[in-house]
């Protein structure tokens, strides 16, 4: 399927849903819209802004002033073409990921040529072939444009669509070595939700990898990011006229003051726990979403910063305080860049849980709205049922990430040491010496 055909078909699907009777239903789904990306809250904030009332004085609006200005511009200048703007932004995000995948696959091909002399003799089936290099970017584009999660996020007019474009631009500029542009896109991503700050580590790895003065390159990158982020904050304060937006945007993310249900893990725990344990669990959950996996993954996968960035993005999408399906769809679109890990020709397949994970994701995606209806409308279920589905959904994603990372490690080991034959497995023993 050609790229142009994919773009036209994906745009038609999105526009058809946007201008149908189902758009409002999708927009109101808790799996799609949260307090941080809801279009309804954006329009309310823009209305207050136009009447000279600060939208950050209450507890309705939690977007940045830059997003507020953009939303106000679309409502005033493009009221009949907002859907077209969202579709264009979403398609542009998919195309950006396509070019990211093209750059990354060429990077993998060059790395394989450099390391091929060190590989074992019987690993030809595990090598990256020209077909993988050519087809992976197309699969990435298709995985983003036709992923139901990203489609629903676009149709629901969530600001996650714009966040995905920023993240895609960050991945592209990072992969191509455009340091200043990478720092700018990272600053804008962090400005919106804070959590992408963990991507500063793979960005620093990329910038210092080809530099002779690595400490200086890292210091330059960190300084540039900090300066651009500070400039973005100052611009936001100039737009809003004060610094109240810091409380409305970032305090609600860090302290989880709003406990409306979503596909994350925060809301149920903080609803059920005793208040005097709240601070402990806030620290525990936020550390788990940001710093806990940063050091071990960075140490292990520093040789492949793109895989590191994708893994950190996926973990943030699972463990952040207010996740949505658009976040999940974005990192899933990156996975075809490692399609060679799905190698069925190997004696021991690299990824062994793909079918189980796929079934779990499909089942939980269907059960979520079903259980929500039983809980909210039929009153024949309760919050435990819905949280059970979201917990299973998060577990399936965790299995997906660990399966990809373990497959990557296993492939690296096999390339270096050769494939272990069946008759040799009996001779292997576990030694604790």
């Amino acid at each position: 399927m050609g790229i142009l055909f994919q773009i036209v078909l994906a745009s038609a699907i999105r526009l058809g849903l946007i201008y149908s009777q189902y758009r409002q239903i999708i927009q109101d789904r808790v799996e799609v819209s949260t307090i941080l990306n809801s279009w309804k809250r954006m329009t309310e904030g823009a209305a207050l802004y136009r009447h000279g009332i600060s939208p950050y004085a209450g507890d309705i609006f939690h977007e940045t002033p830059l997003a507020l200005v953009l939303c106000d511009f679309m409502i005033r200048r493009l009221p009949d073409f907002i859907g077209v703007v969202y579709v264009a932004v979403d398609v542009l995000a998919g195309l950006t990921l396509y070019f990211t995948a093209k750059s990354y696959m060429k990077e993998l091909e060059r790395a394989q040529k450099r390391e091929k002399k060190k590989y074992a003799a019987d690993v030809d089936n595990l090598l990256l072939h020209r077909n993988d290099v050519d087809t992976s970017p197309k699969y990435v584009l298709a995985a983003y444009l036709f992923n139901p999660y990203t489609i629903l996020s676009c149709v629901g007019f969530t600001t996650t669509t714009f966040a995905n474009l920023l993240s895609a631009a960050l991945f592209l500029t990072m992969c191509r070595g455009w340091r200043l542009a990478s720092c700018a896109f990272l600053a804008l991503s962090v400005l919106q939700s804070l959590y992408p700050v963990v991507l500063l580590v793979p960005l620093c790895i990329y910038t210092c990898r080809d530099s002779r003065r690595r400490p200086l390159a890292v210091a330059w990158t960190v300084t540039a990011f900090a300066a651009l982020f500070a400039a973005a904050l100052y611009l936001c304060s100039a737009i809003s006229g004060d610094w109240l937006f810091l409380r409305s945007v970032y305090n609600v993310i860090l302290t989880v003051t709003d406990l409306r249900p979503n596909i994350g893990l925060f809301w149920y725990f903080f609803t059920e726990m005793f208040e005097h344990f709240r601070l402990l669990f806030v620290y525990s959950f936020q550390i788990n979403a940001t710093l806990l996996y940063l050091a071990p993954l960075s140490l292990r996968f520093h040789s492949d910063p793109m895989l590191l960035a994708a893994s950190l993005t996926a973990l943030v999408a699972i463990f952040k305080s207010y996740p949505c399906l658009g976040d999940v769809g974005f990192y899933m679109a990156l996975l075809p860049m490692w399609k060679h890990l799905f190698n069925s020709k190997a004696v021991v397949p690299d990824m062994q849980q793909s079918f189980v994970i796929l079934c779990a994701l499909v089942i939980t995606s269907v059960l979520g709205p079903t259980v929500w209806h039983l809980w909210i409308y039929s009153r024949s279920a309760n919050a435990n049922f819905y949280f059970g589905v979201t917990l299973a959904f998060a577990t399936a994603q965790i299995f997906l990430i660990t399966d990809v990372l373990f497959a990557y490690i296993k492939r690296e080991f096999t390339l270096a040491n050769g494939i272990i034959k069946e008759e040799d497995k009996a001779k292997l023993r576990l030694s604790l010496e």
Side-chain angles (χ1 to χ4, degrees), residues 336-353:
M337 288 194 289
W338 296 277
K339 65 182 287 290
H340 52 282
L341 298 180
F342 295 80
N343 194 343
S344 60
K345 297 180 181 179
V347 176
V348 180
D350 291 328
M351 293 192 64
Q352 301 180 3
Q353 304 177 35

Side-chain angles (χ1 to χ4, degrees), residues 218-239:
V218 172
W220 188 96
T221 302
V222 174
T223 303
F225 162 73
L228 290 169
F229 181 64
L233 286 177
Y234 180 79
L235 178 60
C236 288
S237 69
I239 293 173

Side-chain angles (χ1 to χ4, degrees), residues 132-146:
D132 298 316
V133 177
D134 293 336
T135 58
S136 290
K138 298 178 182 178
Y139 288 150
V140 168
L141 179 62
Y144 185 86
L145 293 182
F146 299 105

Side-chain angles (χ1 to χ4, degrees), residues 39-104:
W39 176 253
K40 185 181 295 184
R41 288 173 179 262
M42 286 286 289
T43 55
E44 291 176 356
L48 293 173
Y49 177 71
R50 286 196 301 272
H51 288 83
I53 303 173
S54 173
Y56 302 106
D59 193 33
I60 296 176
F61 191 71
H62 301 289
E63 280 284 358
T64 62
L66 284 177
L68 174 65
V69 171
L70 177 62
C71 173
D72 183 58
F73 174 80
M74 288 194 297
I75 292 174
R76 288 188 296 106
R77 303 293 185 182
L78 305 168
D80 298 325
F81 300 98
I82 293 176
V84 177
V85 172
Y86 265 92
V87 172
V89 169
D90 212 29
V91 169
L92 182 59
L95 283 173
T96 306
L97 289 181
Y98 168 79
F99 290 113
T100 302
K102 288 193 70 173
S103 298
Y104 177 66

Side-chain angles (χ1 to χ4, degrees), residues 391-411:
L391 183 61
F393 184 65
T395 303
Q397 294 179 75
I398 293 169
F399 272 103
L400 175 62
I401 299 167
T402 53
D403 203 24
V404 171
L405 295 181
F406 183 67
Y408 182 88
I409 295 172
K410 186 164 59 174
R411 179 176 178 272

Side-chain angles (χ1 to χ4, degrees), residues 111-126:
Q112 180 174 276
K113 289 180 180 179
R114 288 195 307 267
E115 302 293 330
K116 196 170 183 178
K117 296 180 180 179
K118 302 178 183 178
Y119 293 161
D122 56 345
V123 294
D124 289 340
N125 286 337
L126 298 179

Side-chain angles (χ1 to χ4, degrees), residues 172-414:
L172 177 61
T173 54
M174 183 169 60
C175 188
R176 294 194 174 181
W178 302 339
R179 284 195 285 182
L180 187 59
S182 299
C183 293
F185 286 119
L186 179 59
L188 291 175
S189 298
V190 174
L191 181 72
Q192 186 176 27
S193 66
L194 286 182
Y195 289 106
V197 71
V198 297
L199 298 180
L200 183 61
V201 174
L203 175 57
C204 289
I205 295 174
Y206 258 117
T207 55
C208 74
R209 190 169 55 175
D210 299 325
S211 176
R212 295 182 179 179
R213 298 180 179 180
R214 293 185 176 182
L216 183 61
V218 172
W220 188 96
T221 302
V222 174
T223 303
F225 162 73
L228 290 169
F229 181 64
L233 286 177
Y234 180 79
L235 178 60
C236 288
S237 69
I239 293 173
S240 62
D242 52 42
W243 294 90
L244 281 178
F245 74 94
L246 293 176
R247 177 185 60 83
S248 295
V249 177
Y250 304 125
N251 185 63
V252 70
I253 294 175
L254 295 175
T255 61
V256 201
T257 56
D258 193 300
L259 299 179
R260 288 175 174 83
N262 52 62
I263 62 171
L265 305 176
F266 277 71
W267 66 274
Y268 185 83
F269 281 97
F270 286 92
T271 300
E272 297 292 328
M273 77 169 62
F274 293 109
E275 189 63 27
H276 53 276
F277 290 122
R278 180 180 177 84
L279 188 60
L280 170 65
F281 276 86
V282 164
Y283 278 106
S284 300
F285 275 60
Q286 296 292 8
I287 290 174
N288 179 68
T290 52
L291 301 178
L292 185 61
Y293 309 101
L294 183 59
L297 289 179
S298 300
L299 291 173
R300 181 59 188 83
F301 299 105
H302 63 87
S303 60
D304 194 342
M306 180 59 68
L307 177 63
L308 173 62
S311 303
L312 293 174
T313 301
L315 290 171
V316 165
I318 298 171
F319 295 118
K320 65 192 294 188
S321 51
Y322 297 101
C324 66
L325 292 181
D327 301 319
V328 179
F330 177 80
Y331 82 77
M332 284 187 174
L334 300 171
L335 297 182
M337 288 194 289
W338 296 277
K339 65 182 287 290
H340 52 282
L341 298 180
F342 295 80
N343 194 343
S344 60
K345 297 180 181 179
V347 176
V348 180
D350 291 328
M351 293 192 64
Q352 301 180 3
Q353 304 177 35
S354 305
F355 179 73
V356 176
I357 294 170
L358 177 62
C359 291
L361 290 173
V362 171
I363 291 171
T364 51
S365 298
V366 173
L367 276 180
T370 304
V371 174
W372 177 266
H373 180 84
L374 293 175
W375 174 25
I376 301 298
Y377 298 102
S378 299
R379 304 292 180 91
S380 56
N382 55 41
N384 297 323
F385 287 72
Y386 188 74
F387 177 71
V389 174
T390 60
L391 183 61
F393 184 65
T395 303
Q397 294 179 75
I398 293 169
F399 272 103
L400 175 62
I401 299 167
T402 53
D403 203 24
V404 171
L405 295 181
F406 183 67
Y408 182 88
I409 295 172
K410 186 164 59 174
R411 179 176 178 272
E412 273 192 335
F413 178 85
T414 307

